[in-house]
């Protein structure tokens, strides 16, 4: 179908990993972000121990791009220093939004899947989970 050609199988596979879906109401940080452009909504909870993120749980009412980005993000920030996550996510967001040739942070290299011309109109959906994590960690 046309729908399948627009979305890569890899993005569908990433979005189908729902191991971190579901809020537990146990968190050190939490946030909610809504994309005013399309209405995508994400709620996240981060648990941290000793300045490291030990888990990210999330719920979305969103498109598959946002779901895939949230799923990938929840896996990639686990057991990482909060300080490093904040720095690397800011860089990742910049790479995704700007047509830059900056090198993706190694941990987030898989986000290259999202950076293609077919997804240009979806970059706000893709960065919504990143924005939610950055918003939560500002507190």
């Amino acid at each position: 179908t046309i729908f399948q050609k627009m979305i890569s199988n890899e993005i569908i596979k990433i979005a189908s990993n729902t191991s971190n879906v579901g809020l537990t109401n146990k968190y050190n940080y939490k946030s909610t972000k809504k994309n005013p452009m399309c209405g995508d909504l994400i709620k996240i909870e981060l648990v941290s121990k000793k300045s490291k993120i030990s888990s990210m749980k999330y719920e979305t009412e969103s498109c598959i791009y946002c779901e895939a980005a949230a799923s990938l993000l929840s896996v990639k920030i686990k057991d990482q220093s909060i300080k490093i996550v904040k720095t690397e996510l800011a860089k990742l967001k910049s790479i995704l939004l700007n047509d830059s040739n900056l090198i993706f942070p190694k941990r987030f290299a898989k986000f290259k899947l999202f950076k293609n011309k077919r997804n240009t109109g979806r970059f706000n959906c893709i960065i919504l989970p990143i924005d939610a994590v950055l918003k939560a960690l500002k507190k």
Side-chain angles (χ1 to χ4, degrees):
T1 68
I2 291 174
F3 179 68
Q4 287 173 320
K5 285 184 175 50
M6 288 173 39
I7 301 169
S8 79
N9 287 338
E10 189 67 17
I11 287 175
I12 293 168
K13 185 178 170 190
I14 292 167
S16 68
N17 174 5
T18 58
S19 60
N20 291 313
V21 171
L23 301 179
T24 61
N25 215 23
K26 295 175 187 159
Y27 57 85
N28 301 91
Y29 305 93
K30 85 182 241 181
S31 76
T32 300
K33 280 295 271 182
K34 186 168 184 149
N35 181 343
M37 306 280 278
C38 66
D40 281 359
L41 177 74
I42 185 166
K43 296 176 182 178
I44 66 159
E45 296 175 342
L46 300 172
V47 175
S48 67
K49 291 179 184 139
K50 296 183 182 172
S51 302
K52 283 191 171 189
I53 295 170
S54 54
S55 77
M56 173 182 153
K57 295 291 189 181
Y58 65 93
E59 284 182 357
T60 67
E61 293 173 22
S62 66
C63 69
I64 195 162
Y65 291 101
C66 183
E67 289 176 19
S71 177
L72 189 54
L73 190 59
S74 70
V75 172
K76 296 297 182 182
I77 67 173
K78 187 175 178 173
D79 299 326
Q80 301 304 315
S81 143
I82 290 172
K83 186 178 177 184
I84 290 171
V85 165
K86 286 166 83 170
T87 302
E88 289 187 349
L89 288 184
K91 183 177 180 183
L92 177 62
K93 182 179 172 181
S94 178
I95 291 168
L96 289 168
L97 285 177
N98 305 315
D99 195 26
S100 62
N101 292 323
L102 291 173
I103 297 168
F104 280 78
K106 196 173 193 172
R107 173 176 2 276
F108 299 112
K110 208 164 191 178
F111 274 84
K112 287 179 189 172
L113 283 169
F114 296 105
K115 185 130 174 101
N116 67 54
K117 288 184 181 16
R118 285 190 302 189
N119 300 344
T120 304
R122 298 306 213 148
F123 284 155
N124 286 326
C125 305
I126 294 162
I127 63 164
L128 192 66
I130 296 169
D131 282 343
V133 170
L134 291 172
K135 177 183 173 186
L137 293 176
K138 275 185 184 167
K139 296 173 182 161

